[in-house]
Each structure stands twice: as C-alpha cells, then as structure tokens.
Amino acid sequence: MRHDLFARLHSPYYIYSPAFPANSGGGKALHYLCHALNLAGEEAYVTDASLNSLHAPRLTQDIINEHIKNGRNPIVIYPEVISGNPLSAPNVVRYLLNTPGALSKEALNWGTGDLIYAHREELIPDAMSAGVLSTPLVNDAVFHDEPSDKPRHGALVWFNRHLSKGGAVDPVTQHATEVSLRVPQRSPEQLASLFRQAELMYTYEPSTACYEAILCGCPVVYLPNPTSLSKPMFGLGYLNGAGSAWGNSTEQIAHAKATVGQAPAIYQRLTENFWTQLDAFVDATQKHFNPVTAATVPAPAPARKALPARRKKRLLVYSVESTWSPCPQIRLIRPFAHLQDDWELVWGIRDGKLQTDAIAEADLILLHRFTPGLLPIESLQAIFALGKPVIYESDDLLNDIPHDHPEAAAGASWKAGIEYTVKHAKAVVVSTQFLAEKYRPLNPNVHILPNFIDYDMFYRPVPQRRDGNITIGLLGSSIQPSNFALVDKALRTLVEQYGARLHIYFVGWECPKGWENHPQTTFLSFVHEYVNYAAQLKEWNWDIALIPLASDEYNQCKSYIKWLDYSAAGIASIFSDVSVYNQVVTHDHTGLLMPNSDQAWLEAITLLIESPEKRHALAQAGQAAVKADYDLREKSALYDQVYDLLCS
C-alpha cells in the first residue's frame, strides 16, 4: 500500500449506537466495528459510552463542530432498526444486524443514496442489494472452552423478546436455568463459566448468546416456534451450524454435540476474513461519499455566470445545555433539522465561553431556557445592545421552580436573569398556553410552538405480552416527591398484591424514598442524551407508564412531551387529570386521566395490569394519535413560520 503524506483525510465515521450493552449482540457489533475502524487507521466514533478496553471514543458536539469547521465529510452508520435519519446526515450507511423489520415494524425511511451492508448474506432481503461486513460478535478471549475432567450437567435457557411478543414456553425448558435479560445481569466471565458447565442451552430466538455458548463448548438447541423462530436454520448459519440443533430431536442434539468442537476454528476463519471485508468497506464508502478526486475531475465547462446561492437564515443560539440533551434537541435541533435548506443553527457557547464571531452574520439571537439566568445582567445588556433581534425560548417555568425540584436551589439564582431577558426580548417562544400566560405580564409578544416528536425515533410496536408479568415505569418529574406521593401508596399495595409478577422502573435523579433496593424495582439514572433516551425507552419494554403530576403552577406550565414519547413507544399510560394532559389525552381512549387520589390511581393501575386487552387498546390508540397529529416531520413548517416572522 502506497501512503501519501498530503492526501485528503478520509471521512470520519459516526456510528449510531446505544451504550455498550452486556447482552445485545447488535449493540456490541457496532462498538466492535468502531474499534476495528480505528485500529485500521480510520477515524470513528460511537454516539454513546463504550468500554475502556475498546478504541471507540464517544462522539461529542465539539468533535462534530471541529469536523464542520475543517470541511470533513462524516459518514453515519445506522443499524437497521433506525428507520429515519435522526442525525440528519447527508452520508448514510445502513448496517443490517438483523432482517429489516424483524425488530421494528415501521416502514423503512431510507435515502436513495444510502449504502447498505449486512452482517450476513441471509439477512439481505431478496429485493435489496447490499455488501457484507461480518463484524466479529464474540470476544473469544472470554468465551472459549477449557479442559475439564468434570462432566457437563444441567441446561440453560435464553429468552429476549419471545415472551413479550406472546410466545409460548416449551415444557422442556421448565427446569432450565435462565440466562436472559429478564434475570439479574451476569458478567461475561460469569456467563462463560455457566456455558462451560452446562450440557445444553435452549433458545426460543436467535441471539449472540448462542454463539458465546457454542464457543464455550455448550451445544445450543433452537426451539422452532411461530413467534420468534419460524424459519428453519435462521441464526445457525453464522458458525455453519456447528454446535447447533434445530429442534429437540435426539438426532439434532447428537449432531450439535458432535460438531460443537468445530466452532472455534470456524470462528477464527470468520474473524480473519472480516479484516479483508473491512478494507473493502472503507474503500467503497470513502469513494461513494467522496467521489471527486484530482484524477477524475472532468474538463471545465465553458464559463458562465453562476447564480448566487440562496442564503440560509442564521439562528445564533446561546445555550449552556449539551446539544445532545433533550431540551435543545426537542425545541431546536430536531425541528430545524427538517428545515436545513432554509435555516442554519449556530451554537454560541463553546467550552463554557460565549462566542461573538457569529454575531455579525446572525439574523436572530436566541437565549435558551436557564442560560440567561447564569449570565450577569451586564452581559445580557451587552447582548441586547448588539442591534440584533433577541428572543427568549423555554418549555418550563424556570424562574419559579418548586422547592422539591432537584434544581430548586439553582433556580432561585436564575430568576433575575431570566426575567430581565423576558422583559427586554423582541419575543418569547414557549410550548404551552399556560406558560405563555405566565410570561405575558412581562412581555406581551409570546408565541406558542407546541412540542412535537420525531415519531420514527420512538416507535416500538405495541407489545403483545401474555406471560402474566407486568413492567411499570416512572421517569423524570414523575418521581419528584410531590408528584410521586400521588402514587406511592397505590404502588406499595400493588407490589404486595402481585409479588414477583410486577416490576417497577424508576428513572431520574434520585430513587423515591423508601424504595431504595426494593427487590421488585430497578432505579436508573436519568438518560441525558436524547437519542439514547429514545433507544432506552424502547429497550426497557414498559407495559404501563405512570405520570402523576401535582396541581401547581410549575407543573401546569409543563408540556405533554411524556404522552408523545410513551405513546410512540407503544406504552399504555395513566396521567393526572390536569390541563397539561387533558388537552391532548382522550380519557379511556388514548390514555387514562385520573384525579389525584390514592384509590383512583390504584384502581386504574389494577385495571391495566388485569386487562392486557385494555392496555393494548390504549397503547394502539395513543400511538395512532401521535403519528397522525404530532409527527415533527409534518409539523416543522410551524417553526419556520414563527421564526421567520421573528426575523423580520
């Protein structure tokens, strides 16, 4: 290979991925691909946290800004479960880690210029053309067999989505030890130890865990079923069927036991072949998205006067919040991504410092949420003296935060700066009528832009759960003390009544008091990155979401964003009957609206636990309503109308 010291740098790769997962084969493959690209001398990033042992750095807005500044041309790699283009990338690769549509039933909204690669040929639909890039799925430094004098004994069983899709359980797995996502997570080393001891592992669906077991010498029995394993041999081809049985017959199990020892050599050949595939992948993607080189530039056409390019309107945003966090994403980044032919967002705070170089070219200056509360009045006066129209934008009443809110102490210090900005701004843009009324005494020119949602990001088919278990979720403000108090008593009654059938997720800043380490609950820290939150919401597989909201002015100013998120994700939801939600939720059709009494909440939650049909109907109707009336793709023109008016 001839190196050119002065050649143009290759396009960097942005790999759209969740945080490195313990039990997701597809997620692991994305992080391994990033690691491999960097080892091969390319520049690659993942969009969420990886392992320290991998060379897979996390993408940040500063990195993106630097690439834009230097004219780099990034290539975004999406797994097949992503229907749209959430990063609004011009250069897109679709990576099939499963058959398109297997995990998401929504229509594929892929660009005509997107390149498609598949992990295995069998994943490519008949009418689709795709290359093959078989990223290794298993860390064989951990998952390998070891010599032992002890005979193997016992059986394991793997579930993932099978039960939530309504699949039945075969009696043959009744006494097997479960190693799925439903049980407390084991470390890779603990799993490998189990695989080295077990005689067999049964599975109802394809999974990377099957390959891990086989490489540890544990044969895998694929149990055919119409829900999750309807196609013969699906998932077995990766290791050429070594160590695998299709069905529970004596002959198939004998085949699996006889061939399991061949798997490590097959896997070694796959790994070696991958590096050849990776070189071809890099060559193809770089040429496809960077087609013009000095050797191929055609002769110049006769000169003619070029038409001037239409100038985009520039919105200079001063926000201290990360551009990956929910509020900038929901209120600015995602709406304007649909308007990128007409608008350009410029971020005016970098490394904690206000940047002034973009002011001259800005058409409009926007002070976002609590940012003006952090600035001295003198700095705000200087911004207003620049001669540019300045607006204030927020979807919360941040100058009047209640005492039990996690940001109450900080909020008291924001009040002066926010109210100064509201009074002096050309206009104020908010998300709800109630919030508009709170700001109109300070500034009569208030515009209401409701929140909408990138539906494709959140869409999950409504689950058809039939195993009798129920998962309930509460997120963010729902577990603040004054709000959570509305459902605390009901939930305590329900965990006693339903026992291990019921599991509750708390997601936020602090676990509700008295629920710490409860065996039927899981507490997770709030997911601050919006795109990762959307992915996590679908992975949590909640059946029911609770949104209790105390009736105070701060809560009345909030938007109905949780209804949008939960409905798009196919979750049946119960809300406090307050104006935030009763303006959009149709009671008993797209959700349940409850008075704030212990008994009302208890009865509503019990109803949805006991009636899968009711849960399904609410979730279906809510999802259809959000798709029809709140999809940002169809509503982004409203943002163009309002902000265009404010520029004039």
PDB file of all heavy atoms in Angstrom, residues 159-170 182 204-205 225-229 461-469 541 543 612 615-616:
ATOM      1  N   PHE A 159     -34.202 -16.296  26.754  1.00  0.00           N
ATOM      2  CA  PHE A 159     -35.333 -15.524  26.252  1.00  0.00           C
ATOM      3  C   PHE A 159     -34.840 -14.110  25.964  1.00  0.00           C
ATOM      4  O   PHE A 159     -33.902 -13.643  26.589  1.00  0.00           O
ATOM      5  CB  PHE A 159     -36.452 -15.387  27.299  1.00  0.00           C
ATOM      6  CG  PHE A 159     -37.116 -16.662  27.710  1.00  0.00           C
ATOM      7  CD1 PHE A 159     -36.802 -17.261  28.926  1.00  0.00           C
ATOM      8  CD2 PHE A 159     -38.074 -17.242  26.906  1.00  0.00           C
ATOM      9  CE1 PHE A 159     -37.430 -18.412  29.329  1.00  0.00           C
ATOM     10  CE2 PHE A 159     -38.719 -18.402  27.305  1.00  0.00           C
ATOM     11  CZ  PHE A 159     -38.395 -18.992  28.515  1.00  0.00           C
ATOM     12  N   ASN A 160     -35.515 -13.425  25.073  1.00  0.00           N
ATOM     13  CA  ASN A 160     -35.304 -11.991  24.926  1.00  0.00           C
ATOM     14  C   ASN A 160     -36.654 -11.320  24.706  1.00  0.00           C
ATOM     15  O   ASN A 160     -37.313 -10.923  25.663  1.00  0.00           O
ATOM     16  CB  ASN A 160     -34.340 -11.689  23.771  1.00  0.00           C
ATOM     17  CG  ASN A 160     -33.971 -10.215  23.696  1.00  0.00           C
ATOM     18  OD1 ASN A 160     -34.304  -9.448  24.588  1.00  0.00           O
ATOM     19  ND2 ASN A 160     -33.300  -9.818  22.629  1.00  0.00           N
ATOM     20  N   ARG A 161     -37.120 -11.271  23.454  1.00  0.00           N
ATOM     21  CA  ARG A 161     -38.421 -10.660  23.173  1.00  0.00           C
ATOM     22  C   ARG A 161     -39.538 -11.688  23.006  1.00  0.00           C
ATOM     23  O   ARG A 161     -40.685 -11.324  22.764  1.00  0.00           O
ATOM     24  CB  ARG A 161     -38.326  -9.807  21.903  1.00  0.00           C
ATOM     25  CG  ARG A 161     -37.353  -8.642  22.024  1.00  0.00           C
ATOM     26  CD  ARG A 161     -37.206  -7.905  20.695  1.00  0.00           C
ATOM     27  NE  ARG A 161     -36.323  -6.756  20.816  1.00  0.00           N
ATOM     28  CZ  ARG A 161     -35.000  -6.814  20.716  1.00  0.00           C
ATOM     29  NH1 ARG A 161     -34.417  -7.982  20.489  1.00  0.00           N
ATOM     30  NH2 ARG A 161     -34.257  -5.734  20.841  1.00  0.00           N
ATOM     31  N   HIS A 162     -39.211 -12.955  23.092  1.00  0.00           N
ATOM     32  CA  HIS A 162     -40.172 -14.017  22.783  1.00  0.00           C
ATOM     33  C   HIS A 162     -41.436 -13.924  23.628  1.00  0.00           C
ATOM     34  O   HIS A 162     -42.555 -13.975  23.098  1.00  0.00           O
ATOM     35  CB  HIS A 162     -39.496 -15.379  22.982  1.00  0.00           C
ATOM     36  CG  HIS A 162     -40.387 -16.556  22.733  1.00  0.00           C
ATOM     37  ND1 HIS A 162     -40.830 -16.890  21.470  1.00  0.00           N
ATOM     38  CD2 HIS A 162     -40.927 -17.471  23.579  1.00  0.00           C
ATOM     39  CE1 HIS A 162     -41.604 -17.956  21.543  1.00  0.00           C
ATOM     40  NE2 HIS A 162     -41.677 -18.330  22.807  1.00  0.00           N
ATOM     41  N   LEU A 163     -41.281 -13.763  24.929  1.00  0.00           N
ATOM     42  CA  LEU A 163     -42.459 -13.745  25.802  1.00  0.00           C
ATOM     43  C   LEU A 163     -43.266 -12.469  25.621  1.00  0.00           C
ATOM     44  O   LEU A 163     -44.499 -12.496  25.623  1.00  0.00           O
ATOM     45  CB  LEU A 163     -42.032 -13.913  27.257  1.00  0.00           C
ATOM     46  CG  LEU A 163     -41.383 -15.256  27.604  1.00  0.00           C
ATOM     47  CD1 LEU A 163     -40.960 -15.278  29.065  1.00  0.00           C
ATOM     48  CD2 LEU A 163     -42.335 -16.409  27.315  1.00  0.00           C
ATOM     49  N   SER A 164     -42.592 -11.329  25.460  1.00  0.00           N
ATOM     50  CA  SER A 164     -43.326 -10.073  25.292  1.00  0.00           C
ATOM     51  C   SER A 164     -44.082 -10.036  23.970  1.00  0.00           C
ATOM     52  O   SER A 164     -45.043  -9.284  23.807  1.00  0.00           O
ATOM     53  CB  SER A 164     -42.371  -8.881  25.376  1.00  0.00           C
ATOM     54  OG  SER A 164     -41.437  -8.901  24.324  1.00  0.00           O
ATOM     55  N   LYS A 165     -43.665 -10.880  22.998  1.00  0.00           N
ATOM     56  CA  LYS A 165     -44.377 -10.979  21.720  1.00  0.00           C
ATOM     57  C   LYS A 165     -45.507 -12.001  21.775  1.00  0.00           C
ATOM     58  O   LYS A 165     -46.155 -12.254  20.762  1.00  0.00           O
ATOM     59  CB  LYS A 165     -43.390 -11.353  20.623  1.00  0.00           C
ATOM     60  CG  LYS A 165     -42.417 -10.238  20.272  1.00  0.00           C
ATOM     61  CD  LYS A 165     -41.165 -10.727  19.559  1.00  0.00           C
ATOM     62  CE  LYS A 165     -41.444 -11.409  18.258  1.00  0.00           C
ATOM     63  NZ  LYS A 165     -40.186 -11.815  17.572  1.00  0.00           N
ATOM     64  N   GLY A 166     -45.736 -12.594  22.957  1.00  0.00           N
ATOM     65  CA  GLY A 166     -46.824 -13.550  23.102  1.00  0.00           C
ATOM     66  C   GLY A 166     -46.427 -14.986  22.850  1.00  0.00           C
ATOM     67  O   GLY A 166     -47.293 -15.858  22.693  1.00  0.00           O
ATOM     68  N   GLY A 167     -45.119 -15.276  22.804  1.00  0.00           N
ATOM     69  CA  GLY A 167     -44.664 -16.635  22.533  1.00  0.00           C
ATOM     70  C   GLY A 167     -44.932 -17.590  23.690  1.00  0.00           C
ATOM     71  O   GLY A 167     -44.975 -17.202  24.852  1.00  0.00           O
ATOM     72  N   ALA A 168     -45.114 -18.874  23.355  1.00  0.00           N
ATOM     73  CA  ALA A 168     -45.363 -19.917  24.360  1.00  0.00           C
ATOM     74  C   ALA A 168     -44.050 -20.513  24.833  1.00  0.00           C
ATOM     75  O   ALA A 168     -43.011 -20.414  24.169  1.00  0.00           O
ATOM     76  CB  ALA A 168     -46.262 -20.996  23.768  1.00  0.00           C
ATOM     77  N   VAL A 169     -44.092 -21.159  26.005  1.00  0.00           N
ATOM     78  CA  VAL A 169     -42.915 -21.789  26.604  1.00  0.00           C
ATOM     79  C   VAL A 169     -43.037 -23.302  26.479  1.00  0.00           C
ATOM     80  O   VAL A 169     -44.069 -23.889  26.814  1.00  0.00           O
ATOM     81  CB  VAL A 169     -42.767 -21.378  28.083  1.00  0.00           C
ATOM     82  CG1 VAL A 169     -41.590 -22.098  28.726  1.00  0.00           C
ATOM     83  CG2 VAL A 169     -42.599 -19.863  28.195  1.00  0.00           C
ATOM     84  N   ASP A 170     -41.981 -23.942  25.994  1.00  0.00           N
ATOM     85  CA  ASP A 170     -41.951 -25.399  25.847  1.00  0.00           C
ATOM     86  C   ASP A 170     -41.664 -26.040  27.202  1.00  0.00           C
ATOM     87  O   ASP A 170     -40.765 -25.582  27.925  1.00  0.00           O
ATOM     88  CB  ASP A 170     -40.854 -25.781  24.844  1.00  0.00           C
ATOM     89  CG  ASP A 170     -40.945 -27.222  24.391  1.00  0.00           C
ATOM     90  OD1 ASP A 170     -40.975 -28.107  25.277  1.00  0.00           O
ATOM     91  OD2 ASP A 170     -40.982 -27.461  23.171  1.00  0.00           O
ATOM     92  N   ARG A 182     -34.045 -10.990  31.406  1.00  0.00           N
ATOM     93  CA  ARG A 182     -35.068 -10.813  32.445  1.00  0.00           C
ATOM     94  C   ARG A 182     -34.514 -11.054  33.841  1.00  0.00           C
ATOM     95  O   ARG A 182     -35.132 -10.664  34.833  1.00  0.00           O
ATOM     96  CB  ARG A 182     -36.227 -11.781  32.213  1.00  0.00           C
ATOM     97  CG  ARG A 182     -36.882 -11.668  30.856  1.00  0.00           C
ATOM     98  CD  ARG A 182     -38.185 -12.450  30.818  1.00  0.00           C
ATOM     99  NE  ARG A 182     -38.055 -13.775  31.402  1.00  0.00           N
ATOM    100  CZ  ARG A 182     -39.072 -14.495  31.880  1.00  0.00           C
ATOM    101  NH1 ARG A 182     -40.287 -13.987  31.853  1.00  0.00           N
ATOM    102  NH2 ARG A 182     -38.878 -15.702  32.368  1.00  0.00           N
ATOM    103  N   TYR A 204     -35.298 -19.736  22.286  1.00  0.00           N
ATOM    104  CA  TYR A 204     -36.527 -19.527  21.524  1.00  0.00           C
ATOM    105  C   TYR A 204     -36.336 -18.533  20.389  1.00  0.00           C
ATOM    106  O   TYR A 204     -37.256 -18.309  19.609  1.00  0.00           O
ATOM    107  CB  TYR A 204     -37.627 -19.014  22.454  1.00  0.00           C
ATOM    108  CG  TYR A 204     -38.113 -20.058  23.440  1.00  0.00           C
ATOM    109  CD1 TYR A 204     -37.502 -20.211  24.683  1.00  0.00           C
ATOM    110  CD2 TYR A 204     -39.182 -20.887  23.122  1.00  0.00           C
ATOM    111  CE1 TYR A 204     -37.946 -21.169  25.586  1.00  0.00           C
ATOM    112  CE2 TYR A 204     -39.641 -21.842  24.015  1.00  0.00           C
ATOM    113  CZ  TYR A 204     -39.014 -21.980  25.252  1.00  0.00           C
ATOM    114  OH  TYR A 204     -39.465 -22.929  26.137  1.00  0.00           O
ATOM    115  N   GLU A 205     -35.144 -17.936  20.301  1.00  0.00           N
ATOM    116  CA  GLU A 205     -34.905 -16.898  19.300  1.00  0.00           C
ATOM    117  C   GLU A 205     -33.408 -16.759  19.068  1.00  0.00           C
ATOM    118  O   GLU A 205     -32.598 -17.154  19.905  1.00  0.00           O
ATOM    119  CB  GLU A 205     -35.488 -15.570  19.775  1.00  0.00           C
ATOM    120  CG  GLU A 205     -35.044 -15.161  21.165  1.00  0.00           C
ATOM    121  CD  GLU A 205     -36.054 -14.229  21.836  1.00  0.00           C
ATOM    122  OE1 GLU A 205     -36.366 -13.195  21.239  1.00  0.00           O
ATOM    123  OE2 GLU A 205     -36.511 -14.548  22.947  1.00  0.00           O
ATOM    124  N   ASN A 225     -40.578 -22.128  16.617  1.00  0.00           N
ATOM    125  CA  ASN A 225     -41.862 -21.635  17.092  1.00  0.00           C
ATOM    126  C   ASN A 225     -42.345 -20.554  16.145  1.00  0.00           C
ATOM    127  O   ASN A 225     -41.537 -19.883  15.496  1.00  0.00           O
ATOM    128  CB  ASN A 225     -41.742 -21.090  18.526  1.00  0.00           C
ATOM    129  CG  ASN A 225     -40.818 -19.888  18.607  1.00  0.00           C
ATOM    130  OD1 ASN A 225     -41.229 -18.755  18.368  1.00  0.00           O
ATOM    131  ND2 ASN A 225     -39.542 -20.118  18.938  1.00  0.00           N
ATOM    132  N   PRO A 226     -43.652 -20.365  16.009  1.00  0.00           N
ATOM    133  CA  PRO A 226     -44.174 -19.394  15.040  1.00  0.00           C
ATOM    134  C   PRO A 226     -43.935 -17.945  15.433  1.00  0.00           C
ATOM    135  O   PRO A 226     -44.045 -17.050  14.597  1.00  0.00           O
ATOM    136  CB  PRO A 226     -45.677 -19.699  15.015  1.00  0.00           C
ATOM    137  CG  PRO A 226     -45.959 -20.334  16.340  1.00  0.00           C
ATOM    138  CD  PRO A 226     -44.732 -21.111  16.692  1.00  0.00           C
ATOM    139  N   THR A 227     -43.588 -17.685  16.694  1.00  0.00           N
ATOM    140  CA  THR A 227     -43.434 -16.304  17.163  1.00  0.00           C
ATOM    141  C   THR A 227     -42.046 -15.746  16.883  1.00  0.00           C
ATOM    142  O   THR A 227     -41.897 -14.636  16.375  1.00  0.00           O
ATOM    143  CB  THR A 227     -43.716 -16.221  18.681  1.00  0.00           C
ATOM    144  OG1 THR A 227     -45.000 -16.771  18.937  1.00  0.00           O
ATOM    145  CG2 THR A 227     -43.659 -14.790  19.172  1.00  0.00           C
ATOM    146  N   SER A 228     -41.014 -16.515  17.186  1.00  0.00           N
ATOM    147  CA  SER A 228     -39.651 -15.968  17.136  1.00  0.00           C
ATOM    148  C   SER A 228     -38.669 -16.783  16.316  1.00  0.00           C
ATOM    149  O   SER A 228     -37.573 -16.305  16.019  1.00  0.00           O
ATOM    150  CB  SER A 228     -39.096 -15.842  18.565  1.00  0.00           C
ATOM    151  OG  SER A 228     -39.984 -15.158  19.400  1.00  0.00           O
ATOM    152  N   LEU A 229     -39.002 -18.016  15.957  1.00  0.00           N
ATOM    153  CA  LEU A 229     -38.095 -18.865  15.171  1.00  0.00           C
ATOM    154  C   LEU A 229     -38.904 -19.658  14.154  1.00  0.00           C
ATOM    155  O   LEU A 229     -39.004 -20.883  14.233  1.00  0.00           O
ATOM    156  CB  LEU A 229     -37.321 -19.834  16.082  1.00  0.00           C
ATOM    157  CG  LEU A 229     -35.965 -19.397  16.618  1.00  0.00           C
ATOM    158  CD1 LEU A 229     -35.361 -20.493  17.477  1.00  0.00           C
ATOM    159  CD2 LEU A 229     -35.013 -19.048  15.491  1.00  0.00           C
ATOM    160  N   PRO A 461     -43.436  -1.333  18.215  1.00  0.00           N
ATOM    161  CA  PRO A 461     -44.742  -1.986  18.117  1.00  0.00           C
ATOM    162  C   PRO A 461     -45.338  -2.216  19.503  1.00  0.00           C
ATOM    163  O   PRO A 461     -44.624  -2.545  20.454  1.00  0.00           O
ATOM    164  CB  PRO A 461     -44.427  -3.315  17.416  1.00  0.00           C
ATOM    165  CG  PRO A 461     -43.140  -3.076  16.693  1.00  0.00           C
ATOM    166  CD  PRO A 461     -42.377  -2.110  17.544  1.00  0.00           C
ATOM    167  N   VAL A 462     -46.637  -2.050  19.627  1.00  0.00           N
ATOM    168  CA  VAL A 462     -47.305  -2.284  20.908  1.00  0.00           C
ATOM    169  C   VAL A 462     -47.092  -3.742  21.316  1.00  0.00           C
ATOM    170  O   VAL A 462     -47.381  -4.650  20.542  1.00  0.00           O
ATOM    171  CB  VAL A 462     -48.809  -1.967  20.797  1.00  0.00           C
ATOM    172  CG1 VAL A 462     -49.518  -2.306  22.099  1.00  0.00           C
ATOM    173  CG2 VAL A 462     -49.014  -0.499  20.443  1.00  0.00           C
ATOM    174  N   PRO A 463     -46.546  -3.985  22.514  1.00  0.00           N
ATOM    175  CA  PRO A 463     -46.225  -5.372  22.900  1.00  0.00           C
ATOM    176  C   PRO A 463     -47.475  -6.224  23.100  1.00  0.00           C
ATOM    177  O   PRO A 463     -48.508  -5.739  23.551  1.00  0.00           O
ATOM    178  CB  PRO A 463     -45.455  -5.200  24.220  1.00  0.00           C
ATOM    179  CG  PRO A 463     -45.881  -3.869  24.746  1.00  0.00           C
ATOM    180  CD  PRO A 463     -46.173  -3.010  23.550  1.00  0.00           C
ATOM    181  N   GLN A 464     -47.342  -7.507  22.760  1.00  0.00           N
ATOM    182  CA  GLN A 464     -48.427  -8.485  22.944  1.00  0.00           C
ATOM    183  C   GLN A 464     -47.995  -9.455  24.045  1.00  0.00           C
ATOM    184  O   GLN A 464     -47.705 -10.614  23.789  1.00  0.00           O
ATOM    185  CB  GLN A 464     -48.674  -9.246  21.633  1.00  0.00           C
ATOM    186  CG  GLN A 464     -49.030  -8.366  20.462  1.00  0.00           C
ATOM    187  CD  GLN A 464     -50.529  -8.129  20.380  1.00  0.00           C
ATOM    188  OE1 GLN A 464     -51.280  -8.554  21.242  1.00  0.00           O
ATOM    189  NE2 GLN A 464     -50.964  -7.447  19.338  1.00  0.00           N
ATOM    190  N   ARG A 465     -47.956  -8.968  25.240  1.00  0.00           N
ATOM    191  CA  ARG A 465     -47.412  -9.766  26.343  1.00  0.00           C
ATOM    192  C   ARG A 465     -48.464 -10.723  26.894  1.00  0.00           C
ATOM    193  O   ARG A 465     -49.597 -10.334  27.144  1.00  0.00           O
ATOM    194  CB  ARG A 465     -46.926  -8.844  27.449  1.00  0.00           C
ATOM    195  CG  ARG A 465     -46.100  -9.540  28.517  1.00  0.00           C
ATOM    196  CD  ARG A 465     -45.360  -8.524  29.343  1.00  0.00           C
ATOM    197  NE  ARG A 465     -44.320  -9.128  30.144  1.00  0.00           N
ATOM    198  CZ  ARG A 465     -43.333  -8.460  30.710  1.00  0.00           C
ATOM    199  NH1 ARG A 465     -43.259  -7.166  30.551  1.00  0.00           N
ATOM    200  NH2 ARG A 465     -42.430  -9.075  31.430  1.00  0.00           N
ATOM    201  N   ARG A 466     -48.056 -11.988  27.108  1.00  0.00           N
ATOM    202  CA  ARG A 466     -49.009 -12.984  27.598  1.00  0.00           C
ATOM    203  C   ARG A 466     -48.451 -13.852  28.725  1.00  0.00           C
ATOM    204  O   ARG A 466     -49.010 -14.884  29.051  1.00  0.00           O
ATOM    205  CB  ARG A 466     -49.438 -13.897  26.442  1.00  0.00           C
ATOM    206  CG  ARG A 466     -50.185 -13.149  25.337  1.00  0.00           C
ATOM    207  CD  ARG A 466     -50.446 -14.020  24.144  1.00  0.00           C
ATOM    208  NE  ARG A 466     -51.040 -13.262  23.043  1.00  0.00           N
ATOM    209  CZ  ARG A 466     -51.174 -13.728  21.806  1.00  0.00           C
ATOM    210  NH1 ARG A 466     -50.759 -14.949  21.514  1.00  0.00           N
ATOM    211  NH2 ARG A 466     -51.725 -12.976  20.866  1.00  0.00           N
ATOM    212  N   ASP A 467     -47.320 -13.451  29.301  1.00  0.00           N
ATOM    213  CA  ASP A 467     -46.715 -14.281  30.341  1.00  0.00           C
ATOM    214  C   ASP A 467     -47.198 -13.931  31.742  1.00  0.00           C
ATOM    215  O   ASP A 467     -46.770 -14.530  32.726  1.00  0.00           O
ATOM    216  CB  ASP A 467     -45.186 -14.185  30.288  1.00  0.00           C
ATOM    217  CG  ASP A 467     -44.673 -12.759  30.534  1.00  0.00           C
ATOM    218  OD1 ASP A 467     -45.512 -11.843  30.672  1.00  0.00           O
ATOM    219  OD2 ASP A 467     -43.440 -12.575  30.591  1.00  0.00           O
ATOM    220  N   GLY A 468     -48.094 -12.936  31.859  1.00  0.00           N
ATOM    221  CA  GLY A 468     -48.633 -12.576  33.169  1.00  0.00           C
ATOM    222  C   GLY A 468     -47.804 -11.578  33.935  1.00  0.00           C
ATOM    223  O   GLY A 468     -48.252 -11.055  34.964  1.00  0.00           O
ATOM    224  N   ASN A 469     -46.589 -11.282  33.475  1.00  0.00           N
ATOM    225  CA  ASN A 469     -45.737 -10.309  34.158  1.00  0.00           C
ATOM    226  C   ASN A 469     -46.026  -8.902  33.636  1.00  0.00           C
ATOM    227  O   ASN A 469     -46.458  -8.723  32.497  1.00  0.00           O
ATOM    228  CB  ASN A 469     -44.262 -10.653  33.954  1.00  0.00           C
ATOM    229  CG  ASN A 469     -43.890 -11.960  34.612  1.00  0.00           C
ATOM    230  OD1 ASN A 469     -44.376 -12.276  35.691  1.00  0.00           O
ATOM    231  ND2 ASN A 469     -43.044 -12.744  33.955  1.00  0.00           N
ATOM    232  N   ASN A 541     -38.932  -1.883  27.606  1.00  0.00           N
ATOM    233  CA  ASN A 541     -40.122  -2.734  27.426  1.00  0.00           C
ATOM    234  C   ASN A 541     -41.174  -2.518  28.507  1.00  0.00           C
ATOM    235  O   ASN A 541     -41.734  -3.474  29.054  1.00  0.00           O
ATOM    236  CB  ASN A 541     -39.722  -4.219  27.364  1.00  0.00           C
ATOM    237  CG  ASN A 541     -39.130  -4.594  26.026  1.00  0.00           C
ATOM    238  OD1 ASN A 541     -39.597  -4.125  24.983  1.00  0.00           O
ATOM    239  ND2 ASN A 541     -38.111  -5.425  26.037  1.00  0.00           N
ATOM    240  N   ASP A 543     -44.738  -1.897  30.044  1.00  0.00           N
ATOM    241  CA  ASP A 543     -46.123  -2.153  29.658  1.00  0.00           C
ATOM    242  C   ASP A 543     -47.012  -0.958  30.008  1.00  0.00           C
ATOM    243  O   ASP A 543     -47.963  -0.654  29.293  1.00  0.00           O
ATOM    244  CB  ASP A 543     -46.663  -3.399  30.374  1.00  0.00           C
ATOM    245  CG  ASP A 543     -45.834  -4.627  30.059  1.00  0.00           C
ATOM    246  OD1 ASP A 543     -45.862  -5.073  28.903  1.00  0.00           O
ATOM    247  OD2 ASP A 543     -45.155  -5.145  30.970  1.00  0.00           O
ATOM    248  N   PRO A 612     -54.900  -7.179  29.647  1.00  0.00           N
ATOM    249  CA  PRO A 612     -53.983  -6.947  28.519  1.00  0.00           C
ATOM    250  C   PRO A 612     -54.690  -6.303  27.330  1.00  0.00           C
ATOM    251  O   PRO A 612     -54.089  -5.511  26.610  1.00  0.00           O
ATOM    252  CB  PRO A 612     -53.490  -8.358  28.172  1.00  0.00           C
ATOM    253  CG  PRO A 612     -53.742  -9.182  29.396  1.00  0.00           C
ATOM    254  CD  PRO A 612     -54.948  -8.595  30.048  1.00  0.00           C
ATOM    255  N   ARG A 615     -54.877  -2.540  27.960  1.00  0.00           N
ATOM    256  CA  ARG A 615     -53.541  -1.964  27.760  1.00  0.00           C
ATOM    257  C   ARG A 615     -53.247  -1.806  26.277  1.00  0.00           C
ATOM    258  O   ARG A 615     -52.770  -0.761  25.816  1.00  0.00           O
ATOM    259  CB  ARG A 615     -52.453  -2.862  28.378  1.00  0.00           C
ATOM    260  CG  ARG A 615     -52.325  -2.822  29.852  1.00  0.00           C
ATOM    261  CD  ARG A 615     -50.961  -3.331  30.302  1.00  0.00           C
ATOM    262  NE  ARG A 615     -50.528  -4.577  29.682  1.00  0.00           N
ATOM    263  CZ  ARG A 615     -50.798  -5.800  30.142  1.00  0.00           C
ATOM    264  NH1 ARG A 615     -51.552  -5.936  31.218  1.00  0.00           N
ATOM    265  NH2 ARG A 615     -50.331  -6.866  29.545  1.00  0.00           N
ATOM    266  N   HIS A 616     -53.501  -2.863  25.541  1.00  0.00           N
ATOM    267  CA  HIS A 616     -53.190  -2.861  24.118  1.00  0.00           C
ATOM    268  C   HIS A 616     -54.019  -1.811  23.379  1.00  0.00           C
ATOM    269  O   HIS A 616     -53.499  -1.082  22.523  1.00  0.00           O
ATOM    270  CB  HIS A 616     -53.452  -4.254  23.540  1.00  0.00           C
ATOM    271  CG  HIS A 616     -52.970  -4.419  22.134  1.00  0.00           C
ATOM    272  ND1 HIS A 616     -53.756  -4.108  21.038  1.00  0.00           N
ATOM    273  CD2 HIS A 616     -51.780  -4.839  21.632  1.00  0.00           C
ATOM    274  CE1 HIS A 616     -53.067  -4.346  19.937  1.00  0.00           C
ATOM    275  NE2 HIS A 616     -51.873  -4.785  20.254  1.00  0.00           N
TER     276      HIS A 616
END
